[in-house]
Structures are given as structure tokens and as C-alpha cells.
């Protein structure tokens, strides 16, 4: 593999409309349509118009304005306005982290809106920075690129509407409302970031939180600067907004690294329109979860993607510093961007930096072998990645591994476990079948990578080596590591951010070789769309539940589907080969048609996920727990009456009691009260990450004194909770246990809806 070959794209020249000729207004139609559709979907999900206006204010004033100004100051030459804004949004997310830390440490979180003003003041006062307010020399954005990106945003927003927005009300509508388990936990972390510093585990007031919590700072900042109720931020605005940002960033990244606008547009489609390949209903993912479930059940995934995509764009300049690249390099500011984005990525998701570090190591090794000299810029970037990872490991996670350990092929072993009835000669075939199922299930959208390697004959440009390293790193970490709950899949998804760009680039090379006419391009697009519809209809009609019983059963439907597609593919290829002598238009285009078909195979995935969600509450999430309105009313009343530093005690600790064991994953009180709870549920505490939610609470004496405040209260006991632990409020759920009659004489009853009562300590 050599790396001295160019990326085969001609340099772009910045162009502007001729003087006196304004840019045609119809070029803005994709933006208007995309934003309009986004707004309509959120309004249909019962988002208040005033909240949308406040969110638009936050995005414009709190992220885009300061972030874009700083990005313009760091990059050398402009490329497109949309790239400035997309990268500016990512930079804004980075800058709001230290701004939040400063105001939170000063106990003035409500002043967070001042940090964008500080950036504005600097750029207004410093003469050398004023030029960044108005920039010329932008390259016009192709209308086809704009419509493709807008369509991808519209599709994925629709997807989120079906699987998330329509299934989870902002506030419970009644006593029978159910909600996915993690949503309340996320909300509680956002409430903690909104009111407290340093961050603790809000369900156990005195327990530090060693976790990737930067995304929840973003939710808190949205609420603080925008003045939006936190449940609206968490359950309506943040996830769709970050997904839209990620789509635009992928499209601009693909354009920047390849020099081809439609490589970026196709990369966005591969990432957010084409899903994982499967053949079950309800959707069963043996090697992971569908993309929508990943981004809304744990918003840290989509938050980290936004930062990671921007980081890849900055690292592209570090990896390939040639001035004659198709898109003008960012310049020396790329190193500053790299450092900032690595710092933010360190606490966004633990799966991001390891993939980046391995991609840089792979790139450095290949460049060293090919050029026989040390690529110092890549080495410096690798050292920055190591420093950021050390910061995360030592400061954010305090060396907690959360159960992750080396375990090669752990994620596959359960599928190829050999039952006594299987002959030994069949076992290698089963192992091979499971590995093929994984590649098709999770990696089919990256088929263009194989095409790129074939077309380039191994002569990859440095940027292509870097992207390949990231795609391989995600898979390698998934294969080599084990973690409870299968969380090692997040490494694979971090690798997607590299792989989809390289796959789209490979498709572009195959497209170039085919030299299609306009009519042939239209025919290929129409056939691809027809194939996507046909595959979706077949799955809607014939896909059924995944079987269980034998180890291989969960992947059998996928293997059967692949076998059927392979047979059809062979028949189609034979038919193509037979027609080729008499139809010259077919010659030299079979590879393009084949690659198109392979990439489209995953098209039913997200549609099937939407279909599943129409038949199951909360997007079909597996942990669907009660979230009665009476509890939320009590929690929000407590929030409105209490101070941010007040601590609450409660008698609710268990989601359920199973065989005498407490499932301690209950988070509703800390979530909707936005206050720390002395002891609520400890199931997600870092110290029980490896033992699970049924682990008994580690401080039996504290739990005993907490519960005694409800069952056998005394003046001395309540005073100790107040003076030693800061408890000011007692929230009792009478469906768990009725409070002692003595409590009414020792504390003041402030709220009572029959099921829930809230007392204030005197």
C-alpha cells in the first residue's frame, strides 16, 4: 500500500456570483424546505412554537454565531458557507463546555448566556478579527447536493418522529404512561449539569459521577441559554437537532476530503438513510441496535458523532498538508481545532478517541513504510489523542473501565457455540456464517470501501489511508473487546463516521469508470429506488420474529435473506452477462450496478424500525417502564419549591423486586425534580457497572437512615439528614409504603395527590 498517489480530483476554485448579480433565490429552497419540514415534525410532536423559537435563538446566538466566528479565524480560506456554519456549530459545542464550567464553578449558571457575547465582543473589538463578520469567496453549493442533504434530514427526522418523538410525551399524560428506561436517567444528568458543579450521580447525592457527561452539559446549556424547560430539550429538541447537524457535517466532510460535492451527499445518505441489513420483524439486531435507538436512548452517541465528524475534517488537514488539495486546506489552525475537538470528544463518548487514535497510528505506520520518513504531523496528532484519552481516563472516568476488557470474538461466541448434536466438520462453516452475517448486517453500507481499494490498486492517498484506518479500528475494537450489555458496539459506530465517507468515495470512482449518459444515470437511480422499495415491501410482508432456542437462531433469518439475495444476484449477473454482447450499453457498467445494489440492500432497515415502532410503545425499546403522571407532578412541584442545592430523600429505590432482589434502575425523581436525591436508584452508578442493577446498595447504614425517615421518623434522625446530608425534602410514594403518622408532626406537608406526598423538613 503506497500513499503518494493523489486523490484524483481537480482543485476547486472559489467562485461568487458576478458583481451586481445576486445569488438566485431558488438555491435557498432546499434549506427552506428542510428547516420547514423539521419544524412541522416537531410541532406535530406537541412542541410549543415558543420553544421552537427559543431553540432557534439558542442555536443561532449560543452556538452558530460564536462557533462560526472562531472557526473562520482558525481556517485559512473559505470553502462554502454551509461548511463554515456546520463546523462552527461543532466549535460552538466545544466552547460551551469551558464556558459552562466557569459559570457553574462561580455558582452563576444562569449567566451562561454571556459567553457568546464575550466572543462577539472580542471579534468586534479586535481589528484583525473584524473581517470574519463578512466573508467572500465562497464556492456555490450545487443544488443537487443541497436537496440530497435536506432530504436526508427530512427522512431521518421522520424516522425519529416514528420511533421516538411520537412514542414519548414530554410529560406523562396519565398513570398508565410508560417510558424507555434511560430517558429519565439522561434527563437527570442534564438537570445535574444545569444546577450543580462538580457533577455527581444525581440518584446518590454524595457519589461522584465518572462518566462521559459532556453531552448533558449541552442539554443544560440549551435550557439555560434558551430558557426552555429541560424535558422539552431532552425529549424533543436535542436529538433531532444534533442528528441534523451530523448529517450536514458528514456531507461537508465528504466534499472536503474528496473534492467532490456528491461524495459528501452520498455519505450522508449511507449514514442516515441506509440502515443495517436484517430480515426480522420486530427488528432484531444480533450485533447491535438500530441507529435511531442508539441516538435517542443515549444521546451521547449522536453528540459524539457531531464532534467526531468535525474532528475528522480537522485531522484531514493534519494527515494531508498538500496545498494543491481539491479543497483549500484549513491551514495551521487545524492543529488548534484538533486539540479542541479531541478534548470535547474525550468526554462526549468513550468510544470516540480510541478509534481516532488507532486510525492515526495506522496512518502513521503506512506513511512511514511508504515514504520512509516519520510523518511528524500525524505523530503530533496522535500525541494529542493520547493526551486527551489520558485526561478522560484519569479525570473523567478515574480509571474506571466499566467492565470493558480484552475478549476476542466475545460478541460472536454465543452464536457459534457448538451444541452436542452438531458435527465437528460443520463448526468452521458456522463460524464463517456468523462472521459473514456480521459484515453484512453492520457493514454492508461500507461496500464502497472494497471498490475503492480495487480501483486504486492499493495506491491510497493519505486521507484515504486515514479513513480506512478509522473504519477498520471500529470493527477491530468491537471484535477484540468485551463489555457487559454489548456496549462495545459503539466502537463500530464510531468507525462508521470514517467508513461512510470512504465508501461514498469508492462509489464515485466506480461511477467515473462507468461514464454513464444522462439517461443511463436516471435509469440507474430509478432502478436503485425501485429495488429499495421492493426489498422493503418484501420485508414488510414476509419478515417475522427472530427464532430463539439454539445459539445460531438469532442470525438464521439474516443468513436466509442473504442466501436468497445471493441467488438472485447470480441469476441477474448471468442475465447481464448473456445480454452484454448484444447491448453495448451494458459493457463496463456491471460493477457499478452491483455496487449500487449492495449499498441499497440496507434500505429497508430504518423503514422496518419505523414499522415496528407503530406497533410498540416507546419505539419498541426493550426496557419500557412505568412513568405515572402522579410521580412527575410531585417531582416538578418539588423542583419549583426548592433551591438547586436542596437534596431530596425518597422511599422509592427499586424499579421492581424480582425474586427478592431490587432492580435499582429508578431515576424519575432526580430527573423531573432536577435535584440530587440522597438515595434513589443506584443501578447506573459507576461502582456497580460490572455487577449490575441488582447489586445491593453499598452503604447499608445510609440506606437504613434514609428509609427510617419515612417508616420510623424521629426529630434527631431528620435533623441528621438535614444537617449532614443537606436533605430538605421528603418525597413518599404510598404505593411503595405509607409514611408513618409521626412524620406529619415532624415535617410540613406541602404536596399530596393521594399517591405521592412531599414534606419539607423544618
Amino acid at each position: 500500500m503506497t500513499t503518494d498517489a493523489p486523490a484524483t480530483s481537480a482543485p476547486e476554485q472559489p467562485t461568487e456570483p458576478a458583481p451586481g448579480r445576486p445569488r438566485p433565490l431558488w438555491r435557498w429552497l432546499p434549506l427552506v424546505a428542510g428547516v420547514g419540514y423539521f419544524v412541522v415534525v416537531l410541532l406535530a410532536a406537541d412542541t410549543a412554537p415558543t420553544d421552537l423559537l427559543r431553540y432557534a435563538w439558542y442555536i443561532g446566538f449560543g452556538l452558530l454565531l460564536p462557533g462560526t466566528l472562531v472557526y473562520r479565524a482558525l481556517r485559512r480560506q473559505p470553502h462554502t458557507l454551509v461548511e463554515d456554519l456546520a463546523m462552527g456549530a461543532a466549535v460552538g459545542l466545544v466552547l460551551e463546555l469551558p464556558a459552562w464550567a466557569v459559570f457553574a464553578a462561580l455558582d452563576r449558571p444562569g449567566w451562561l448566556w454571556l459567553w457568546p457575547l464575550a466572543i462577539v465582543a472580542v471579534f468586534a473589538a479586535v481589528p484583525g478579527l473584524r473581517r470574519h463578520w463578512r466573508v467572500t469567496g465562497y464556492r456555490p453549493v450545487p443544488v443537487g447536493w443541497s436537496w440530497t442533504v435536506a432530504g436526508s434530514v427530512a427522512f431521518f427526522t421522520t424516522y425519529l418522529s416514528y420511533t421516538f418523538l411520537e412514542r414519548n410525551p414530554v410529560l406523562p399524560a396519565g398513570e398508565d404512561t410508560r417510558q424507555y428506561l434511560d430517558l429519565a436517567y439522561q434527563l437527570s444528568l442534564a438537570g445535574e449539569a444545569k444546577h450543580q458543579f462538580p457533577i455527581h450521580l444525581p440518584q446518590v447525592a454524595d457519589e461522584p459521577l465518572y462518566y462521559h457527561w459532556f453531552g448533558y452539559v449541552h442539554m443544560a446549556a440549551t435550557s439555560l441559554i434558551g430558557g426552555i424547560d429541560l424535558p422539552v430539550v431532552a425529549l424533543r429538541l436535542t436529538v433531532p437537532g444534533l442528528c441534523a447537524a451530523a448529517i450536514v457535517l458528514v456531507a461537508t466532510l465528504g466534499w472536503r476530503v474528496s473534492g467532490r460535492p456528491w461524495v459528501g451527499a452520498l455519505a450522508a445518505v449511507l449514514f442516515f438513510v441506509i440502515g443495517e441489513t436484517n430480515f426480522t420483524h420486530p427488528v432484531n439486531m444480533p450485533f447491535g441496535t438500530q441507529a435511531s435507538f442508539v441516538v435517542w436512548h443515549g444521546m451521547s452517541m449522536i453528540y459524539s458523532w457531531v464532534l467526531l465528524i468535525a474532528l475528522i475534517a480537522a485531522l484531514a488537514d493534519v494527515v494531508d498538508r498538500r496545498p494543491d488539495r481539491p479543497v483549500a486546506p484549513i491551514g495551521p489552525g487545524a492543529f488548534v481545532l484538533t486539540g479542541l475537538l479531541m478534548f470535547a470528544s474525550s468526554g462526549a463518548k468513550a468510544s470516540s478517541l480510541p478509534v481516532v487514535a488507532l486510525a492515526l497510528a495506522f496512518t502513521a505506520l503506512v506513511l512511514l513504510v511508504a515514504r520512509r520518513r516519520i510523518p511528524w504531523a500525524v505523530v503530533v496528532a496522535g500525541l494529542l489523542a493520547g493526551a486527551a484519552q489520558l485526561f478522560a481516563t484519569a479525570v473523567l472516568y478515574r480509571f474506571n473501565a466499566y467492565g470493558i476488557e480484552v475478549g476476542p470474538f466475545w460478541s460472536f461466541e454465543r452464536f457459534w457455540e457448538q451444541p452436542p448434536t452438531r458435527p465437528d466438520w460443520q463448526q468452521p462453516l458456522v463460524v464463517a456464517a456468523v462472521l459473514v452475517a456480521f459484515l453484512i448486517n453492520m457493514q454492508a453500507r461500507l461496500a464502497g470501501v472494497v471498490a475503492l481499494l480495487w480501483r486504486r490498486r492499493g495506491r491510497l492517498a493519505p486521507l484515504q489511508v486515514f479513513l480506512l484506518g478509522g473504519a477498520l479500528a471500529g470493527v477491530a475494537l468491537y471484535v477484540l473487546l468485551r463489555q457487559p450489555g454489548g456496549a462495545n458496539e459503539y466502537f463500530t459506530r464510531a468507525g462508521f463516521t470514517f467508513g461512510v465517507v470512504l465508501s461514498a468515495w469508492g462509489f464515485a470512482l466506480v461511477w467515473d469508470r462507468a461514464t454513464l449518459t444522462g439517461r443511463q444515470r436516471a435509469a440507474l437511480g430509478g432502478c436503485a429506488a425501485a429495488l429499495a422499495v421492493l426489498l422493503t415491501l418484501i420485508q414488510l410482508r414476509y419478515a417475522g420474529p427472530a427464532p430463539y432456542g439454539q445459539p445460531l437462531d438469532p442470525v438464521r433469518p439474516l443468513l436466509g435473506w442473504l442466501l436468497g439475495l445471493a441467488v438472485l444476484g447470480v441469476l441477474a449477473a448471468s442475465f447481464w452477462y448473456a445480454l452484454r454482447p448484444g447491448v453495448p450499453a451494458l459493457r463496463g457498467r456491471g460493477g457499478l450496478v452491483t455496487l449500487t445494489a449492495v449499498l441499497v440492500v440496507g434500505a429497508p432497515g430504518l423503514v422496518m424500525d419505523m414499522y415496528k415502532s407503530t406497533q410498540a410503545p416507546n419505539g419498541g425499546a426493550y426496557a419500557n417502564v412505568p412513568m405515572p403522571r402522579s410521580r412527575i407532578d410531585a417531582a416538578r412541584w418539588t423542583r419549583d419549591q426548592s433551591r438547586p442545592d436542596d437534596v431530596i430523600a425518597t422511599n422509592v429505590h427499586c424499579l421492581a423486586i424480582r425474586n427478592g432482589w431490587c432492580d435499582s434502575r429508578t431515576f424519575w425523581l432526580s430527573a423531573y425534580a432536577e435535584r440530587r436525591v440522597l438515595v434513589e436508584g443506584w443501578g447506573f452508578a459507576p461502582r456497580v457497572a460490572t455487577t449490575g442493577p441488582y447489586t445491593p446498595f453499598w452503604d447499608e447504614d445510609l440506606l437504613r437512615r434514609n428509609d427510617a425517615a419515612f417508616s420510623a421518623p424521629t426529630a434527631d434522625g431528620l435533623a441528621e439528614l438535614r444537617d449532614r446530608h443537606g436533605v430538605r425534602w421528603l418525597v413518599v410514594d404510598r404505593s411503595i409504603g405509607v409514611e408513618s403518622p409521626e412524620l406529619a408532626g415532624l415535617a410540613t406537608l406541602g404536596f399530596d395527590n393521594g399517591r405521592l406526598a412531599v414534606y419539607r423538613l423544618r
Side-chain angles (χ1 to χ4, degrees):
M1 179 183 290
T2 59
T3 60
D4 294 322
T8 69
S9 294
E12 296 181 338
Q13 298 297 325
T15 58
E16 283 286 321
R21 294 182 60 188
R23 197 183 303 275
L25 291 179
W26 54 267
R27 286 186 171 273
W28 297 95
L29 284 179
L31 174 64
V32 173
V35 172
Y37 186 81
F38 184 89
V39 169
V40 167
V41 170
L42 290 180
L43 288 173
D46 295 326
T47 310
T50 53
D51 286 332
L52 284 175
L53 291 174
R54 291 173 181 270
Y55 187 58
W57 160 254
Y58 162 74
I59 293 296
F61 170 74
L63 283 185
L64 288 181
L65 178 59
T68 301
L69 288 172
V70 172
Y71 176 69
R72 285 174 173 174
L74 292 173
R75 60 112 171 96
R76 178 179 290 161
Q77 289 181 264
H79 178 222
T80 63
L81 175 60
V82 67
E83 181 185 83
D84 271 10
L85 294 175
M87 290 294 290
V91 173
L93 289 174
V94 175
L95 297 178
E96 86 179 353
L97 292 170
W100 164 84
V102 169
F103 286 106
L106 294 174
D107 197 23
R108 293 293 183 269
W111 293 6
L112 186 58
W113 59 272
L114 290 174
W115 88 261
L117 286 181
I119 300 293
V120 168
V122 170
F123 277 79
V126 178
L129 296 176
R130 291 174 187 164
R131 61 188 176 88
H132 299 299
W133 285 97
R134 186 178 186 276
V135 175
T136 58
Y138 282 131
R139 178 179 175 83
V141 175
V143 175
W145 184 94
S146 299
W147 278 115
T148 302
V149 173
S152 299
V153 171
F155 175 84
F156 204 77
T157 303
T158 302
Y159 180 28
L160 290 173
S161 176
Y162 272 87
T163 59
F164 173 46
L165 301 177
E166 295 179 8
R167 314 296 160 194
N168 296 281
V170 174
L171 296 174
E175 292 300 285
D176 58 347
T177 299
R178 301 181 72 85
Q179 187 184 85
Y180 173 63
L181 176 71
D182 284 18
L183 294 180
Y185 181 68
Q186 293 182 81
L187 182 58
S188 73
L189 296 185
E192 175 76 5
K194 182 177 178 179
H195 301 293
Q196 305 291 342
F197 186 85
I199 298 290
H200 279 200
L201 182 72
Q203 291 80 34
V204 183
D206 294 331
E207 184 77 358
L209 181 64
Y210 306 131
Y211 191 61
H212 48 252
W213 44 262
F214 284 6
Y216 306 104
V217 171
H218 167 59
M219 294 170 66
T222 306
S223 177
L224 289 166
I225 297 176
I228 310 169
D229 196 15
L230 205 49
V232 177
V233 173
L235 296 174
R236 286 297 177 269
L237 302 175
T238 297
V239 172
L242 289 175
C243 287
I247 291 170
V248 177
L249 273 166
V250 169
T252 58
L253 170 64
W255 185 349
R256 166 165 284 278
V257 299
S258 70
R260 303 164 182 248
W262 70 277
V263 167
L266 178 58
V269 171
L270 292 177
F271 205 167
F272 287 94
V273 177
I274 302 296
E276 287 80 15
T277 305
N278 216 327
F279 195 76
T280 57
H281 173 70
V283 174
N284 168 61
M285 291 296 294
F287 307 106
T289 55
Q290 282 283 13
S292 171
F293 188 50
V294 167
V295 301
W296 66 257
H297 94 286
M299 59 78 61
S300 58
M301 186 79 261
I302 186 61
Y303 177 80
S304 71
W305 276 344
V306 171
L307 298 172
L308 181 55
I309 296 164
L311 175 58
I312 295 171
L315 284 171
D317 246 40
V318 174
V319 170
D320 188 354
R321 307 181 71 189
R322 293 178 297 117
D324 60 342
R325 281 174 44 197
V327 175
I330 294 173
F335 282 96
V336 179
L337 280 172
T338 294
L340 290 173
L341 289 163
M342 281 184 175
F343 158 75
S345 294
S346 70
K349 192 76 172 175
S351 53
S352 292
L353 281 182
V355 172
V356 172
L358 286 180
L360 289 169
F362 178 81
T363 305
L365 178 62
V366 172
L367 292 176
L368 175 63
V369 172
R371 298 176 174 177
R372 301 190 181 279
R373 63 178 183 270
I374 298 174
W376 287 111
V378 179
V379 171
V380 170
L383 293 175
L384 286 174
Q389 184 62 54
L390 179 61
F391 165 78
T393 303
V395 177
L396 298 179
Y397 309 137
R398 297 295 176 92
F399 300 99
N400 281 279
Y402 294 93
I404 195 165
E405 58 188 8
V406 176
F409 298 104
W410 173 79
S411 299
F412 307 108
E413 290 174 346
R414 64 184 184 275
F415 301 119
W416 64 47
E417 180 182 347
Q418 185 174 3
T421 56
R422 181 186 298 158
D424 290 342
W425 66 268
Q426 292 183 1
Q427 187 63 15
L429 298 177
V430 172
V431 171
V434 171
L435 294 177
V436 169
F438 164 73
L439 290 175
I440 300 300
N441 174 236
M442 296 292 286
Q443 304 292 323
R445 73 183 82 186
L446 305 190
V449 175
V450 178
L452 182 138
L453 293 173
W454 178 263
R455 291 297 306 150
R456 299 282 294 178
R457 298 295 190 267
R459 293 177 56 83
L460 302 185
L463 283 178
Q464 294 167 337
V465 173
F466 174 59
L467 294 173
L468 178 63
L472 293 176
V475 175
L477 290 170
Y478 176 80
V479 172
L480 295 175
L481 299 177
R482 59 180 294 168
Q483 190 171 18
N488 54 337
E489 73 159 298
Y490 296 129
F491 294 112
T492 305
R493 298 192 178 279
F496 281 172
T497 56
F498 297 81
V500 292
V501 175
L502 196 61
S503 183
W505 203 341
F507 185 89
L509 297 182
V510 178
W511 176 280
D512 290 345
R513 183 177 183 274
T515 61
L516 301 181
T517 65
R519 182 174 297 179
Q520 290 167 341
R521 290 195 294 268
L524 179 65
C527 289
L531 177 61
V533 172
L534 177 62
L535 294 176
T536 302
L537 292 175
I538 291 173
Q539 291 206 19
L540 288 171
R541 175 63 179 85
Y542 295 106
Y548 289 94
Q550 297 298 318
L552 190 60
D553 281 352
V555 298
R556 287 185 189 275
L558 176 58
L559 292 172
W561 178 236
L562 296 180
L563 179 61
L565 292 176
V567 170
L568 291 176
V570 170
L571 293 175
S574 301
F575 187 64
W576 183 281
Y577 184 79
L579 290 178
R580 193 174 59 173
V583 185
L586 301 182
R587 298 172 190 170
R589 285 148 185 159
L592 177 62
V593 172
T594 301
L595 179 58
T596 302
V598 172
L599 293 176
V600 169
V601 163
L606 302 184
V607 178
M608 293 299 294
D609 217 18
M610 286 189 273
Y611 178 54
K612 174 191 72 175
S613 298
T614 63
Q615 303 179 14
N618 304 309
Y622 70 90
N624 186 14
V625 302
M627 191 62 65
R629 180 63 183 261
S630 57
R631 282 185 168 180
I632 307 312
D633 287 344
R636 287 171 66 83
W637 182 90
T638 306
R639 180 200 65 177
D640 294 340
Q641 303 300 316
S642 60
R643 299 191 307 268
D645 58 347
D646 286 352
V647 177
I648 305 171
T650 183
N651 67 333
V652 182
H653 311 299
C654 306
L655 179 64
I657 304 292
R658 295 182 174 89
N659 299 321
W661 294 91
C662 171
D663 181 349
S664 58
R665 296 174 298 172
T666 178
F667 319 114
W668 60 272
L669 181 55
S670 53
Y672 288 93
E674 299 177 26
R675 300 291 182 266
R676 290 177 178 174
V677 182
L678 183 63
V679 182
E680 189 180 8
W682 55 91
F684 283 179
R687 69 167 71 200
V688 301
T690 59
T691 54
Y694 292 95
T695 304
F697 189 60
W698 53 87
D699 190 339
E700 295 182 3
D701 178 66
L702 177 62
L703 183 61
R704 178 189 58 78
R705 289 185 286 114
N706 176 97
D707 293 346
F710 301 92
S711 61
T714 64
D716 290 342
L718 296 180
E720 182 186 19
L721 292 183
R722 181 191 63 219
D723 300 336
R724 181 177 173 184
H725 299 287
V727 174
R728 294 293 184 273
W729 304 86
L730 304 179
V731 176
V732 56
D733 187 332
R734 291 167 178 150
S735 69
I736 304 299
V738 178
E739 71 272 30
S740 167
E742 303 295 328
L743 186 58
L746 299 171
T748 303
L749 179 65
F751 176 92
D752 192 336
N753 63 12
R755 175 175 175 173
L756 275 292
V758 182
Y759 291 84
R760 180 169 185 168
L761 296 188
R762 298 168 183 168

